[in-house]
Amino acid sequence: MLIKKIKVALGIIAGRVFTGPIEVSLDLTRNCSVGCIMCWYWSPLLKNPPSQEWLNKQIDYNIFLQLVKDFKRLQVKRVILGGQGEPLLYPKIFEVIETLKKNGFEVSLITAGVHLNDYKTKNLFELGVDHIDFSLQTAAPITYLKIHPNQKEGTLERIKSQIQLLSELKKKFNRKTPKIQIINVICNLNYQDTVKIVELAKEVGAESIGIKRIDVIPETRELLLNNSQLDELKDLFKDAKEKAKQFGIETSMDFYQEFILQGLTTGVYTSTYYSQIPCYVGWVTSRILSDGNVVPCCGCYDVILGNINHNSFKEIWYSQRYQNFRRESINLNKSDLMGRGCKCYSCIDFEFNLGIYHKLHPFGT
């Protein structure tokens, strides 16, 4: 991995790429039945939900097999299965994971956990998935139903039992993987559960908690916090951090407090920071959507760099179009990427962009 990172860093400095991305996010399917209220695609708050044709898109398995060859050629290290749908609903999800692991890739899975049962959970463990993010959003059954109004009573408890099964399997076979992370996208429906979700993580055996910002669209702006709720959340964070430290659970709360927290009242989180630092996603990561479109990240869906149904991922990665994006993103404060649909004001990749910036500019601001 060190050599890979050196090649990436040299590419950033030179303004070109010498190797493939470190990680690729692969959206296998858009199919989902969870109905998270903050979702851009499946929220019950949407006035004009996507068409059924759009929702039915998924990666052809034979195309996936070609992707694996390209990933190996490009020395990709990690493949993240998640995105616009629930990856466990992809018909050949276990074949996908098995193929990736046999070819030496680290595999991360992002799931709501709704479709897990003992058989599937044991299969994920046996296949050697490295990291699983469970997108729960709360530790309280009542709140869970508010955030997932189409789910049945008892769903959260059932998901918790599957996470506990994973933890038990890890202990039984003396394995450290999969690393388990509980995801909490904070909104005004669940912010009061901030301490409780730390307790849930301890209960199910999770190693970490990922606190995320809510990325709003017009229909979901009602989920933002008001000022009094934000003040309450700040106090809850103090207790949650103390409890997480006591339990030995890693969290992203320090970063969240410093850079993200204040934006929970407006939906604008990171735009001012990108007047000071570049965006490095064009060297480090890439995203492949279920319709085959390749985009730089989950905030730039309108910047389409190619399509794997027409060209290989390797061709797209080294294409002039991708290089043009890199040239723009490295000079983001002079670019019109935000005007062309990139949601840099709500960047999910800001933490790693800031980390790269500090490593390349140890004496920078």
Side-chain angles (χ1 to χ4, degrees):
M1 181 65 96
L2 178 60
I3 295 174
K4 177 74 173 182
K5 289 181 177 179
I6 291 172
K7 287 182 179 180
V8 170
L10 289 174
I12 292 170
I13 294 168
R16 50 180 295 195
V17 285
F18 298 122
T19 185
I22 292 175
E23 66 180 31
V24 175
S25 294
L26 181 59
D27 295 16
L28 291 170
T29 180
R30 287 174 174 159
N31 191 11
C32 187
S33 62
V34 183
C36 300
I37 200 165
M38 66 277 287
C39 181
W40 299 349
Y41 314 107
W42 294 95
S43 171
L45 299 176
L46 297 184
K47 296 175 182 176
N48 297 298
S51 68
Q52 195 60 48
E53 181 184 6
W54 187 92
L55 294 171
N56 287 340
K57 295 290 186 182
Q58 64 180 27
I59 298 289
D60 181 88
Y61 186 69
N62 290 323
I63 295 290
F64 162 74
L65 295 176
Q66 294 302 313
L67 277 177
V68 172
K69 295 178 182 178
D70 272 351
F71 292 168
K72 290 194 74 171
R73 294 185 187 107
L74 291 167
Q75 299 177 313
V76 171
K77 300 300 181 183
R78 182 185 310 114
V79 179
I80 302 170
L81 304 175
Q84 296 171 320
E86 168 56 65
L88 290 176
L89 290 179
Y90 185 71
K92 294 196 173 190
I93 180 60
F94 295 112
E95 290 93 331
V96 165
I97 294 170
E98 183 178 19
T99 299
L100 290 171
K101 291 303 300 179
K102 282 184 176 179
N103 281 275
F105 298 105
E106 180 182 328
V107 175
S108 293
L109 179 71
I110 304 172
T111 178
V114 170
H115 299 282
L116 283 176
N117 54 35
D118 287 2
Y119 171 78
K120 291 178 180 178
T121 298
K122 290 176 181 177
N123 210 353
L124 291 175
F125 178 78
E126 291 167 359
L127 288 172
V129 174
D130 298 276
H131 188 107
I132 303 180
D133 283 353
F134 285 94
S135 189
L136 299 186
Q137 327 308 352
T138 182
I142 293 175
T143 308
Y144 185 86
L145 294 178
K146 290 179 181 178
I147 295 175
H148 310 90
N150 70 347
Q151 294 301 307
K152 297 179 180 178
E153 190 173 335
T155 300
L156 179 60
E157 292 302 315
R158 184 167 53 79
I159 298 168
K160 283 170 58 180
S161 71
Q162 294 304 314
I163 304 174
Q164 287 170 322
L165 175 58
L166 269 178
S167 297
E168 290 165 6
L169 289 169
K170 287 163 65 175
K171 288 179 182 178
K172 180 179 179 179
F173 293 96
N174 193 28
R175 273 183 34 191
K176 294 183 178 181
T177 57
K179 295 289 185 182
I180 299 169
Q181 179 168 242
I182 305 300
I183 298 297
N184 184 23
V185 177
I186 293 181
C187 67
N188 60 21
L189 295 177
N190 66 359
Y191 75 96
Q192 292 178 317
D193 297 336
T194 300
V195 178
K196 292 179 182 177
I197 207 158
V198 177
E199 296 167 349
L200 179 146
K202 172 67 173 175
E203 180 185 354
V204 299
E207 287 89 357
S208 63
I209 299 168
I211 307 293
K212 307 295 182 181
R213 83 279 182 272
I214 178 171
D215 193 354
V216 293
I217 54 178
E219 292 97 325
T220 60
R221 287 192 65 82
E222 64 185 65
L223 300 173
L224 290 168
L225 277 64
N226 60 38
N227 288 327
S228 63
Q229 290 170 333
L230 182 63
D231 289 339
E232 186 180 352
L233 178 61
K234 290 176 181 177
D235 290 334
L236 289 169
F237 257 51
K238 295 175 186 176
D239 295 337
K241 287 201 296 183
E242 185 177 330
K243 187 154 284 191
K245 184 177 180 180
Q246 176 188 340
F247 292 156
I249 294 172
E250 295 181 14
T251 79
S252 54
M253 290 185 193
D254 286 335
F255 175 85
Y256 197 95
Q257 269 190 299
E258 183 175 358
F259 295 103
I260 305 299
L261 198 62
Q262 205 62 38
L264 287 174
T265 60
T266 63
V268 177
Y269 305 96
T270 52
S271 55
T272 57
Y273 301 123
Y274 281 120
S275 64
Q276 305 169 49
I277 71 167
C279 171
Y280 304 105
V281 295
W283 285 266
V284 180
T285 185
S286 188
R287 184 159 186 183
I288 303 172
L289 304 180
S290 305
D291 59 5
N293 281 338
V294 176
V295 296
C297 64
C298 66
C300 286
Y301 289 124
D302 293 333
V303 180
I304 299 170
L305 303 168
N307 188 294
I308 58 168
N309 294 311
H310 309 304
N311 297 97
S312 72
F313 179 73
K314 183 179 179 182
E315 290 173 329
I316 295 167
W317 178 255
Y318 285 115
S319 69
Q320 187 60 50
R321 188 183 300 181
Y322 222 129
Q323 184 58 22
N324 291 342
F325 168 80
R326 296 184 185 100
R327 191 177 297 114
E328 285 191 88
S329 64
I330 205 72
N331 297 289
L332 195 55
N333 60 331
K334 300 176 183 177
S335 168
D336 69 340
L337 280 174
M338 279 190 269
R340 297 195 339 252
C342 283
K343 302 181 74 171
C344 305
Y345 60 85
S346 179
C347 178
I348 197 172
D349 295 318
F350 175 68
E351 186 172 2
F352 89 68
N353 271 325
L354 186 63
I356 294 172
Y357 179 79
H358 284 156
K359 288 175 182 177
L360 294 176
H361 304 84
F363 304 108
T365 56

